[in-house]
Amino acid sequence: MERELAGLDALELGGGPRSKLLLRAWSATWPMLVAVLIAITAWQLVVWSGWRKPWVLPGPKDTLPVFWDQVTSSPFWEAVGLTMQRAVIGFAVAVAIGVLIGALVSQFRVLRRAFGSLITGLQTMPSIAWFPLAILLFKLSESAILFVVVLGAAPSIANGLIAGVDYTPPILLRAGKVMGLRRLNLYRHLIMPASLPSFVAGLKQGWAFAWRSLMAGELLVRIGDTTSLGVLLSDARELNNTADMISFMIVILIIGIVVDQLFGAVDRAIRVRWGVDQD
């Protein structure tokens, strides 16, 4: 009887851990697969409509084999490696600067009044507008690209942290002070954990700005004989090789989606830990 009841409980709970993991993976995957099929279908319909010549806008049948050839070649992955190296370094520097600025501005009213609007203004400024200044300051170098990536991402990260601190419930602050938390300990053990959801949202938005800034930089700044995703994209455009160009654009899109999924996983983990969502 106990064995039968255990079997019924397993059925009611949806099976074991393995079946739950497979079900969760499938529920997360099938909407993206449907979206991909819809996008490819729409793409093919536009090609069949004759809106542009096939050599200007090739269809999936002509582009996807080129895409496969690109992702199976070692020079392509060397270019991806250089681009991702720049992205990780630029984003890490932006996080360090954004956290420092956000922590200071959120804690001192004078700094809030002096720099609060400036941070928002920097966030809304197109990253490509920084490149003339970056090239004048650093010439055609890695520093020029890093400069623009940091300026594109740091304001969003700082604003995310500031927003999280601003919306920390006052009752938590009073409870922390009653428990003896002051200044740095209060910020470390109470304010930072309470502001984590907004901070993660700021990190996600900061990455989006950093990625866009990096792609713009690689299109505009070519450093010696180095090859990156932006350089490959620019070369394909200059040679009117649309199939290669679309292939590189697909890779850039896929990288953006993968990073977004990573941030989504962190956000879900925070919601589960806070009891807002069930695992």
Side-chain angles (χ1 to χ4, degrees):
M1 179 66 70
E2 292 180 357
R3 190 178 305 168
E4 293 176 357
L5 290 175
L8 290 174
D9 290 339
L11 288 174
E12 183 178 356
L13 293 174
R18 184 177 179 181
S19 62
K20 287 183 179 180
L21 183 61
L22 292 174
L23 182 60
R24 189 181 306 165
W26 172 246
S27 64
T29 303
W30 76 261
M32 291 188 289
L33 294 177
V34 172
V36 169
L37 291 176
I38 292 174
I40 292 176
T41 302
W43 177 10
Q44 185 62 62
L45 291 175
V46 171
V47 173
W48 281 340
S49 70
W51 178 57
R52 288 290 186 270
K53 298 293 184 181
W55 63 270
V56 176
L57 182 62
K61 184 179 68 173
D62 298 322
T63 303
L64 295 181
V66 175
F67 170 77
W68 177 253
D69 291 338
Q70 292 291 349
V71 299
T72 53
S73 64
S74 56
F76 169 80
W77 287 109
E78 292 175 2
V80 172
L82 177 58
T83 296
M84 294 307 299
Q85 178 183 339
R86 290 170 173 170
V88 171
I89 293 174
F91 185 65
V93 175
V95 169
I97 295 175
V99 168
L100 178 61
I101 293 175
L104 291 175
V105 171
S106 63
Q107 291 301 301
F108 299 100
R109 292 183 179 179
V110 175
L111 294 178
R112 172 75 64 92
R113 293 172 183 172
F115 297 105
S117 298
L118 178 60
I119 294 173
T120 303
L122 290 174
Q123 181 179 349
T124 59
M125 189 170 179
S127 58
I128 198 170
W130 289 107
F131 273 102
L133 177 61
I135 294 173
L136 284 176
L137 293 175
F138 303 104
K139 303 186 185 299
L140 297 179
S141 65
E142 295 285 346
S143 299
I145 297 177
L146 180 64
F147 175 78
V148 177
V149 170
V150 172
L151 281 177
S156 297
I157 297 170
N159 271 335
L161 181 57
I162 293 169
V165 173
D166 287 346
Y167 284 95
T168 302
I171 190 172
L172 288 181
L173 296 176
R174 290 195 294 268
K177 291 177 180 178
V178 168
M179 295 174 65
L181 295 178
R182 293 292 186 274
R183 296 184 179 178
L184 184 60
N185 286 330
L186 180 67
Y187 202 89
R188 177 184 174 186
H189 296 290
L190 193 148
I191 296 177
M192 278 297 292
S195 62
L196 197 56
S198 294
F199 180 53
V200 171
L203 289 176
K204 184 177 179 180
Q205 189 178 45
W207 167 260
F209 280 109
W211 188 238
R212 292 195 303 177
S213 302
L214 178 59
M215 289 299 102
E218 290 188 343
L219 285 170
L220 293 175
V221 179
R222 179 175 295 213
I223 304 170
D225 58 351
T226 58
T227 303
S228 61
L229 270 176
V231 171
L232 292 177
L233 186 62
S234 179
D235 289 344
R237 178 187 59 81
E238 291 178 358
L239 296 173
N240 290 328
N241 195 339
T242 312
D244 279 347
M245 187 172 64
I246 294 176
S247 299
F248 299 137
M249 292 171 64
I250 292 173
V251 172
I252 294 170
L253 176 63
I254 290 174
I255 293 174
I257 292 173
V258 169
V259 176
D260 178 76
Q261 292 298 311
L262 294 177
F263 278 112
V266 173
D267 182 65
R268 285 191 296 273
I270 293 173
R271 285 189 278 116
V272 169
R273 184 169 182 177
W274 283 32
V276 178
D277 197 3
Q278 293 184 355
D279 192 5

